[in-house]
Amino acid sequence: KAVFRRTVAIGRERGKWLPFVEGTVGFVTIHPSFILRQQDSESRAATYRGLVKDLRLIAQRIHRAAA
């Protein structure tokens, strides 16, 4: 809420680029500790893979912007 100046539902908006008030954008993803709170190893692995996917999308955008 402090970053986007509104409530952001992570489950619904994860994987999206949302505008900040200043005109830049931020990417919505989970906090890494969420992985540890998953009930079983299969859920932890799937959640981890999702976070890695999100981080790769962020890295791609940074590399494109730097080029």
Side-chain angles (χ1 to χ4, degrees), residues 2-24:
V3 174
F4 292 108
R5 306 284 168 110
R6 67 177 180 87
T7 300
V8 175
I10 303 297
R12 187 175 65 241
E13 300 190 77
R14 181 179 181 185
K16 294 181 182 178
W17 292 95
L18 298 180
F20 290 140
V21 174
E22 301 84 24
T24 58

Side-chain angles (χ1 to χ4, degrees), residues 35-47:
I35 297 166
L36 301 175
R37 294 193 303 271
Q38 300 307 298
Q39 296 298 314
D40 55 66
S41 60
E42 190 173 312
S43 296
R44 282 190 293 277
T47 304

Side-chain angles (χ1 to χ4, degrees), residues 46-67:
T47 304
Y48 176 79
R49 285 190 302 272
L51 177 61
V52 170
K53 179 183 173 187
D54 289 349
L55 295 175
R56 285 185 175 142
L57 290 171
I58 295 165
Q60 288 172 1
R61 186 165 180 148
I62 291 170
H63 287 285
R64 281 195 307 266

